[in-house]
Amino acid sequence: MGGKGTKEYEESLRALQIELVKLQADLIRTEARVLVIVEGRDAAGKDGTIKRLTEHMSPRDTRVFAPSKPSDAETKQWYFQRFTPHLPSGGEFVIFNRSWYNRAGVERVMGFATEDEVESFFRTVDDFERLQVRDGLHLRKYYLDIDRDEQKERLEERQNDPLKKWKNSPIDASASKKWDVYTKARDDMFRRTSFKEAPWRVVKADQKKPARLAMLADLIGSFDYKDKDESVLKRNRMLVFPWSKKIHARLAK
Amino acid sequence: MGGKGTKEYEESLRALQIELVKLQADLIRTEARVLVIVEGRDAAGKDGTIKRLTEHMSPRDTRVFAPSKPSDAETKQWYFQRFTPHLPSGGEFVIFNRSWYNRAGVERVMGFATEDEVESFFRTVDDFERLQVRDGLHLRKYYLDIDRDEQKERLEERQNDPLKKWKNSPIDASASKKWDVYTKARDDMFRRTSFKEAPWRVVKADQKKPARLAMLADLIGSFDYKDKDESVLKRNRMLVFPWSKKIHARLAK
Amino acid sequence: MGGKGTKEYEESLRALQIELVKLQADLIRTEARVLVIVEGRDAAGKDGTIKRLTEHMSPRDTRVFAPSKPSDAETKQWYFQRFTPHLPSGGEFVIFNRSWYNRAGVERVMGFATEDEVESFFRTVDDFERLQVRDGLHLRKYYLDIDRDEQKERLEERQNDPLKKWKNSPIDASASKKWDVYTKARDDMFRRTSFKEAPWRVVKADQKKPARLAMLADLIGSFDYKDKDESVLKRNRMLVFPWSKKIHARLAK
Amino acid sequence: MGGKGTKEYEESLRALQIELVKLQADLIRTEARVLVIVEGRDAAGKDGTIKRLTEHMSPRDTRVFAPSKPSDAETKQWYFQRFTPHLPSGGEFVIFNRSWYNRAGVERVMGFATEDEVESFFRTVDDFERLQVRDGLHLRKYYLDIDRDEQKERLEERQNDPLKKWKNSPIDASASKKWDVYTKARDDMFRRTSFKEAPWRVVKADQKKPARLAMLADLIGSFDYKDKDESVLKRNRMLVFPWSKKIHARLAK
């Protein structure tokens, strides 16, 4: 479980969640709008991370949105249209469990989108995000990265865990087989959609618990708020770091 | 913690959650529609119960809806209109964390609805629910009941717990003070809205963990599904039982 | 053109539209909710009637809703769910150009709904409407009835009119061919869904202009409002009348 | 009435509407998305123009959206969020009767928006529109311009016309009084939001009928479509022309 005992983990998690509650109180008071995009490989731990993130937040002011397959009508709209109603209003903290980046990931790899549509996405996503950020949105983009072996192991575990049966999908099955295609898609995404106003941050997620703590500390630490306790928010630059061409070697291959 | 050790609780909970996964697979396959209404006193444990219920269900097929204060436009509509978009589609398992019964509870007690509106609600809610049930909806209505002292203690704890600060609200403050008015409202609600097709089930929730287990067992047990393991679904009729005039004495006063 | 000269028609129409403006001012002031359902054979004149009805009403307080084919997700919901968001809010005057009665008409005739679904619709629609009416909705249901020859002529005209090309549809093509099946569907609908709180009113629409005037007079006349000018609202019982078993002989066969 | 006899007007209008039907058939076939923004002074003739534009279009593929006052929740969102659901899907022809430009017009003049909000709007609207246009939206922006005297006359007429009573609003009352402030707001809007991909086009609307015909010809003429009849689409550059600094002198002062 990565060097952290369960008790230590629980205590650290609790301390971070207390900071989150303080942060959220401030965000509500100032009517700030927050959008956290959580992307990553299949089985990288998105669901579990989001569960800990939201566990003690105010349900009324927190929303998790997991985009489903677009309907027929939606495929004929502006690509960002079906996501727009889910953007945060003042005081809301919204988490996207996968996001419009589906187009650059699963839709591209599985052939659900044409190359033209993918290219069009790449050409407009930065403008769309910049528009939001300039309008005051606090946008954070995290990518959970795991190794090939770790993914394989988790997908196998999943098949045997009676509580995780619903997680199995035909797309999962392709995750391992298409590992290299996903790797290339991830790299293209980083290269084309990481920019100053909305950079990608990579979370090395092979060890679930340390990764969760590091990501929460990084996310919370990126905000200023009343009574912020920096001592709790120790960043771990080995586990969470901004994407850049230089660090590319640290990503799973 | 009510006679159940933590380990025993965890094991029982896990066994129930495995049944839930089986149940949900069946519901999805048959495109059944499920609506579970969870009502109860303030601090009766609704959030915690729902968290355990949904913990391992498929997020894509499970929704929790917590109605917020109606907007100005919504107050001028048919009362059930703003709830309707949240009803389950085929294969969906929806939980209402509070519901249209707000009108018979908090809205009535706090004076947010007129006596006419409350009366009109009572006169139509059974027809509305019957309409749904006859159309195939699986409707389950649970009310979490706690004693006055237990509520007082929990509300005080809440004020001191840094993770539960957001739960405090001016309405909470009134929960204790208006205990008797809420009791009367609850009793009226039971009397007027418990009918054959959609009866109320009472959960004695003073001890959180046994109450959660009992409610899950009762809920799951009320469905037929493939590979149902009845040995896991032992009902506890002291903790969960259908409301009726006769059992009224067992409710908190 | 049915005995009414164009000028007389225009004057009568204008007088009725002035009454409508007065009526609507009253409805807005009292926050009344109005739903007018307009059904009828293909080419019976629904669009034209609705155009005259809404021509001078306040766009902000008037809505016309024409249901389209249900989406995949919608077919798995409660049948009335997709109509509910379009119900009027306080002060709104809503017209349904076709309605949930599609199920008893085109969907039944064309086989888009199963016999079970049709039967289920018949068993619940009255309860659904009664629920609304008891909640204060002003519900008016009109059926525009034309003769077989008249329909045929209009559908042919439509094909040659460059302004009406979009009205042609494969379903139109079947209107004539399936005349008898539609007649039976209409008769079943009347028999099973005309009840005290929400009776059907039949409009003999073979002559467009007199029919429009008669329907407007009938609709407006069914409300009480300030400065109502009864002299303008002369009803024509030959053209608009409540459906009943006795008058059945007057319907197109 | 501007030199055009009623009969000539009716014939020209009909010819244009026939072109519209052809255009729309093409747009539906190619799943094109069209958004026509209609702005202008109070009483400039927006409603009447839109009525003629949509009169014979396919209701199923045509939508008119008139933004109302934002709700409390909406005021806390991204400004463009509440407009986004109304953008056209593939094959849809959408007309905005007033639009997001309310912020630069009535909201600014009446003080419903702060100067910061107005400035923020000006800084982002071009990016927002460009994003849409690059994504394939056919965006057309028309401004109906009338003289001070003409406006005054029309607003007075409106007060005496029993069919136009609902058009009277306290904001109307201010239209004349605030003429100069509106003029300045209009000029700022033109200067800051007319750009290559989405230029403003001015319609001199003092004479209603010629203005309508000229605008329809201009709008239709801006598209390519099958069987386009250019002879019908004679442009009148005195009545409709692109805004530019040079032509500023031709606007109402």
Side-chain angles (χ1 to χ4, degrees):
Chain A
M1 236 345 126
K4 282 249 175 188
T6 294
K7 205 181 152 214
E8 201 186 333
Y9 165 74
E10 293 295 347
E11 282 174 6
S12 298
L13 181 59
R14 188 180 154 84
L16 287 165
Q17 287 174 333
I18 290 175
E19 288 305 299
L20 259 173
V21 168
K22 292 194 275 177
L23 167 57
Q24 190 171 32
D26 230 48
L27 294 168
I28 292 170
R29 195 179 47 79
T30 58
E31 299 197 337
R33 290 176 283 134
V34 176
L35 174 60
V36 180
I37 287 180
V38 183
E39 287 283 349
R41 302 261 190 190
D42 266 310
K46 293 183 291 296
D47 291 346
T49 300
I50 291 170
K51 186 180 289 178
R52 272 66 178 195
L53 169 58
T54 57
E55 193 166 15
H56 293 286
M57 296 182 79
S58 158
R60 205 170 290 276
D61 307 287
T62 310
R63 268 189 296 126
V64 179
F65 169 64
S68 51
K69 231 178 111 247
S71 71
D72 275 5
E74 286 168 344
T75 58
K76 296 179 189 169
Q77 298 172 342
W78 178 40
Y79 178 64
F80 293 96
Q81 190 160 337
R82 70 186 170 105
F83 299 97
T84 303
H86 303 284
L87 292 173
S89 180
E92 278 189 324
F93 194 108
V94 172
I95 297 113
F96 278 12
N97 185 348
R98 298 187 178 279
S99 66
W100 41 72
Y101 284 103
N102 273 348
R103 180 127 294 178
V106 63
E107 293 189 17
R108 184 183 188 191
V109 169
M110 302 299 289
F112 301 154
T114 66
E115 272 304 306
D116 272 6
E117 286 170 328
V118 173
E119 187 55 35
S120 162
F121 169 75
F122 276 134
R123 272 200 318 265
T124 54
V125 65
D126 52 343
D127 279 344
F128 179 71
E129 293 185 357
R130 253 187 222 110
L131 203 55
Q132 306 294 334
V133 171
R134 259 194 294 152
D135 194 56
L137 181 75
H138 296 272
L139 177 59
R140 302 289 185 270
K141 303 182 340 197
Y142 286 94
Y143 183 91
L144 275 54
D145 196 54
I146 51 171
D147 282 340
R148 191 164 195 167
D149 288 348
E150 181 67 21
Q151 187 189 51
K152 207 175 154 219
E153 202 173 303
R154 290 189 193 177
L155 289 173
E156 280 166 11
E157 261 174 47
R158 192 182 275 184
Q159 291 199 307
N160 301 318
D161 184 341
L163 287 178
K164 292 190 174 161
K165 283 224 171 106
W166 57 265
K167 285 208 174 192
N168 292 308
S169 81
I171 287 177
D172 276 17
S174 74
S176 299
K177 244 186 292 176
K178 302 218 173 202
W179 174 269
D180 291 332
V181 196
Y182 272 111
T183 302
K184 188 190 169 310
R186 178 202 66 188
D187 293 348
D188 284 355
M189 182 183 81
F190 281 150
R191 237 186 334 262
R192 300 193 61 176
T193 68
S194 206
F195 49 94
K196 208 180 94 233
E197 294 92 338
W200 277 103
R201 299 184 74 74
V202 178
V203 182
K204 295 298 292 177
D206 287 321
Q207 295 185 317
K208 282 187 180 182
K209 290 182 179 176
R212 277 177 205 151
L213 298 180
M215 182 189 142
L216 288 187
D218 187 81
L219 172 61
I220 301 167
S222 74
F223 290 90
D224 285 324
Y225 58 94
K226 212 166 148 265
D227 299 329
K228 186 175 179 177
D229 183 352
E230 288 283 1
S231 76
V232 166
L233 302 169
K234 282 161 267 168
R235 322 297 175 81
N236 183 335
R237 291 285 173 244
M238 295 309 293
L239 292 181
V240 184
F241 45 88
W243 179 85
S244 74
K245 278 175 204 162
K246 277 177 281 178
I247 60 83
H248 210 83
R250 292 170 63 189
L251 301 180
K253 287 202 195 60
Chain B
M1 236 347 126
K4 281 249 176 191
T6 294
K7 206 181 152 214
E8 202 185 333
Y9 166 73
E10 294 294 345
E11 282 173 6
S12 300
L13 181 60
R14 187 180 154 86
L16 288 164
Q17 288 174 333
I18 290 174
E19 289 306 297
L20 259 173
V21 168
K22 292 194 275 177
L23 166 58
Q24 189 170 32
D26 231 48
L27 296 168
I28 292 170
R29 195 179 47 77
T30 58
E31 298 197 338
R33 289 177 283 133
V34 176
L35 175 60
V36 180
I37 288 180
V38 183
E39 287 283 350
R41 301 259 190 192
D42 267 311
K46 294 184 290 296
D47 291 346
T49 301
I50 292 170
K51 186 180 290 178
R52 272 68 179 194
L53 169 57
T54 57
E55 194 167 15
H56 294 286
M57 296 181 80
S58 158
R60 205 170 290 276
D61 307 286
T62 312
R63 267 189 297 125
V64 179
F65 170 63
S68 51
K69 233 179 108 242
S71 71
D72 275 5
E74 286 167 344
T75 58
K76 296 178 189 172
Q77 298 172 342
W78 178 39
Y79 177 65
F80 293 96
Q81 189 160 337
R82 69 187 171 106
F83 298 98
T84 303
H86 303 283
L87 291 172
S89 180
E92 279 190 323
F93 194 107
V94 173
I95 298 114
F96 278 12
N97 186 348
R98 300 187 176 281
S99 66
W100 42 72
Y101 285 102
N102 272 348
R103 179 127 295 178
V106 62
E107 292 188 18
R108 184 184 187 190
V109 170
M110 302 299 290
F112 301 153
T114 66
E115 272 305 305
D116 272 6
E117 287 170 327
V118 173
E119 187 55 34
S120 162
F121 169 76
F122 276 134
R123 272 200 318 265
T124 54
V125 65
D126 52 343
D127 279 344
F128 179 71
E129 292 185 358
R130 253 187 222 110
L131 202 55
Q132 307 293 335
V133 171
R134 258 193 295 150
D135 193 58
L137 182 73
H138 297 272
L139 177 59
R140 303 287 184 273
K141 302 179 345 196
Y142 287 94
Y143 184 92
L144 276 53
D145 196 52
I146 51 171
D147 282 341
R148 191 166 195 165
D149 290 347
E150 182 67 21
Q151 185 189 52
K152 208 175 153 218
E153 202 173 304
R154 290 189 193 178
L155 289 173
E156 281 166 11
E157 260 173 48
R158 191 182 277 186
Q159 291 199 307
N160 300 319
D161 185 341
L163 287 178
K164 291 188 174 161
K165 283 223 168 108
W166 58 265
K167 287 208 173 191
N168 292 308
S169 80
I171 286 176
D172 276 17
S174 74
S176 300
K177 244 185 292 177
K178 303 219 172 200
W179 176 268
D180 290 334
V181 197
Y182 272 110
T183 302
K184 188 190 170 311
R186 178 202 64 188
D187 292 349
D188 284 355
M189 182 183 82
F190 281 149
R191 237 186 333 261
R192 301 192 61 176
T193 67
S194 207
F195 49 95
K196 207 181 95 234
E197 294 91 337
W200 277 105
R201 299 184 74 75
V202 178
V203 182
K204 296 298 292 177
D206 287 321
Q207 294 186 317
K208 283 186 179 181
K209 291 181 178 177
R212 277 176 206 154
L213 298 178
M215 180 189 144
L216 288 188
D218 186 82
L219 173 61
I220 300 166
S222 73
F223 290 90
D224 285 324
Y225 58 93
K226 212 167 149 263
D227 299 329
K228 187 175 178 176
D229 182 352
E230 288 283 2
S231 76
V232 167
L233 302 169
K234 284 159 265 169
R235 322 297 175 81
N236 184 333
R237 290 284 173 248
M238 296 308 294
L239 292 182
V240 184
F241 45 88
W243 179 85
S244 74
K245 277 176 205 162
K246 277 177 281 179
I247 60 83
H248 210 82
R250 291 170 63 189
L251 301 180
K253 283 199 199 63
Chain C
M1 232 352 120
K4 282 249 174 189
T6 294
K7 206 179 152 217
E8 200 184 334
Y9 165 73
E10 293 294 346
E11 281 173 7
S12 300
L13 181 60
R14 187 180 154 84
L16 286 165
Q17 287 174 332
I18 291 175
E19 288 306 298
L20 258 173
V21 168
K22 292 194 275 178
L23 167 56
Q24 189 171 32
D26 230 47
L27 295 169
I28 292 171
R29 195 178 47 78
T30 58
E31 299 197 337
R33 289 176 286 133
V34 176
L35 175 60
V36 180
I37 287 180
V38 183
E39 288 283 350
R41 301 261 190 190
D42 267 310
K46 294 184 290 296
D47 292 345
T49 302
I50 292 170
K51 186 180 290 179
R52 271 67 179 193
L53 170 56
T54 58
E55 193 167 14
H56 293 285
M57 295 182 78
S58 158
R60 205 171 292 275
D61 307 286
T62 311
R63 267 189 297 126
V64 179
F65 170 64
S68 52
K69 229 179 111 244
S71 71
D72 274 5
E74 286 168 344
T75 59
K76 297 178 188 170
Q77 297 172 343
W78 178 41
Y79 177 64
F80 294 96
Q81 189 160 337
R82 69 187 171 103
F83 299 98
T84 304
H86 303 284
L87 292 173
S89 181
E92 279 189 323
F93 194 106
V94 173
I95 298 114
F96 277 12
N97 185 348
R98 300 189 176 278
S99 67
W100 42 72
Y101 284 103
N102 272 348
R103 180 128 294 178
V106 63
E107 293 189 17
R108 184 182 187 191
V109 170
M110 302 299 289
F112 302 153
T114 66
E115 271 305 305
D116 273 5
E117 287 171 327
V118 174
E119 187 55 33
S120 161
F121 170 76
F122 277 135
R123 272 201 317 265
T124 54
V125 64
D126 52 343
D127 279 344
F128 179 72
E129 292 184 358
R130 252 186 222 111
L131 202 55
Q132 307 293 335
V133 170
R134 258 193 296 150
D135 193 58
L137 182 75
H138 297 272
L139 177 59
R140 303 289 186 270
K141 302 179 343 195
Y142 286 94
Y143 184 92
L144 275 54
D145 197 53
I146 50 172
D147 281 341
R148 193 166 194 163
D149 290 346
E150 181 67 21
Q151 186 189 53
K152 206 173 155 222
E153 201 173 305
R154 290 190 193 177
L155 289 173
E156 281 167 11
E157 259 176 47
R158 191 182 278 186
Q159 291 199 306
N160 300 320
D161 185 339
L163 286 179
K164 292 190 175 162
K165 283 224 171 107
W166 57 265
K167 286 208 174 192
N168 291 308
S169 81
I171 287 176
D172 275 17
S174 74
S176 299
K177 243 184 297 178
K178 303 218 172 202
W179 175 269
D180 291 332
V181 197
Y182 272 111
T183 301
K184 186 190 172 310
R186 178 202 66 187
D187 292 349
D188 284 354
M189 182 184 80
F190 281 149
R191 237 188 331 264
R192 300 193 62 175
T193 67
S194 207
F195 50 95
K196 207 182 93 231
E197 294 91 337
W200 278 105
R201 300 184 74 74
V202 178
V203 181
K204 296 298 290 176
D206 287 321
Q207 294 185 318
K208 282 186 180 182
K209 289 181 179 178
R212 276 177 207 152
L213 298 179
M215 180 187 144
L216 287 188
D218 186 80
L219 173 62
I220 301 167
S222 73
F223 291 89
D224 284 325
Y225 58 93
K226 214 169 147 259
D227 298 330
K228 187 174 178 176
D229 182 353
E230 289 283 2
S231 76
V232 167
L233 303 169
K234 284 159 265 167
R235 322 299 174 81
N236 184 334
R237 290 285 172 246
M238 295 310 292
L239 291 182
V240 184
F241 46 87
W243 178 85
S244 74
K245 277 174 205 163
K246 277 176 281 178
I247 60 82
H248 211 83
R250 291 171 63 190
L251 300 181
K253 288 202 191 62
Chain D
M1 235 347 123
K4 283 246 176 192
T6 294
K7 203 176 157 223
E8 200 186 334
Y9 165 75
E10 294 294 346
E11 282 173 7
S12 299
L13 181 60
R14 187 180 156 84
L16 287 165
Q17 288 173 332
I18 290 175
E19 289 305 298
L20 258 173
V21 168
K22 293 194 275 177
L23 166 58
Q24 190 171 32
D26 230 48
L27 295 168
I28 292 171
R29 195 179 48 75
T30 58
E31 298 198 339
R33 290 176 283 135
V34 176
L35 174 60
V36 180
I37 288 180
V38 182
E39 288 283 348
R41 302 261 190 191
D42 266 310
K46 293 184 291 297
D47 290 347
T49 301
I50 292 170
K51 186 180 289 178
R52 272 66 178 195
L53 169 57
T54 58
E55 194 167 14
H56 293 286
M57 295 182 79
S58 159
R60 203 171 292 277
D61 306 287
T62 311
R63 269 190 295 125
V64 179
F65 169 64
S68 52
K69 229 178 113 247
S71 72
D72 275 4
E74 286 168 343
T75 59
K76 296 178 189 171
Q77 297 172 341
W78 177 40
Y79 177 65
F80 293 96
Q81 189 159 338
R82 69 187 171 104
F83 299 98
T84 303
H86 303 284
L87 292 173
S89 181
E92 278 190 324
F93 195 106
V94 173
I95 298 113
F96 278 11
N97 185 346
R98 298 188 176 279
S99 66
W100 42 71
Y101 285 103
N102 272 348
R103 180 126 296 176
V106 63
E107 293 189 18
R108 185 184 187 190
V109 169
M110 301 299 289
F112 301 154
T114 66
E115 273 304 305
D116 272 6
E117 287 171 327
V118 173
E119 186 55 33
S120 161
F121 169 76
F122 276 134
R123 271 200 317 266
T124 54
V125 65
D126 51 343
D127 279 344
F128 179 71
E129 293 184 357
R130 252 186 222 111
L131 202 56
Q132 308 294 334
V133 171
R134 256 193 296 152
D135 194 58
L137 181 76
H138 296 272
L139 177 59
R140 303 288 186 269
K141 304 183 335 198
Y142 286 95
Y143 184 91
L144 276 55
D145 196 53
I146 50 171
D147 281 340
R148 192 166 195 164
D149 289 347
E150 181 68 21
Q151 185 189 54
K152 207 174 153 220
E153 202 173 302
R154 291 190 191 176
L155 289 174
E156 280 167 11
E157 261 174 47
R158 191 182 277 185
Q159 291 199 307
N160 300 320
D161 184 339
L163 287 179
K164 292 191 175 160
K165 282 227 170 104
W166 57 266
K167 286 208 174 193
N168 292 309
S169 81
I171 286 176
D172 276 17
S174 73
S176 300
K177 242 186 296 177
K178 302 219 174 203
W179 175 269
D180 291 332
V181 196
Y182 272 110
T183 301
K184 188 190 170 310
R186 178 201 66 186
D187 292 349
D188 284 354
M189 183 183 80
F190 282 149
R191 234 186 336 260
R192 300 194 60 176
T193 67
S194 207
F195 49 95
K196 207 180 94 235
E197 293 91 340
W200 278 104
R201 300 184 73 75
V202 178
V203 182
K204 296 299 292 176
D206 288 320
Q207 295 185 317
K208 282 187 180 182
K209 290 180 179 177
R212 277 178 206 151
L213 298 179
M215 181 187 142
L216 287 187
D218 187 81
L219 172 62
I220 300 167
S222 73
F223 291 90
D224 284 325
Y225 58 93
K226 213 166 149 264
D227 299 328
K228 186 175 179 177
D229 181 353
E230 289 283 1
S231 76
V232 166
L233 302 169
K234 283 161 268 168
R235 321 300 173 80
N236 184 334
R237 290 285 173 245
M238 297 309 294
L239 291 182
V240 183
F241 46 86
W243 179 86
S244 73
K245 277 176 207 166
K246 277 177 280 178
I247 60 82
H248 210 83
R250 291 169 63 189
L251 301 179
K253 293 214 183 55

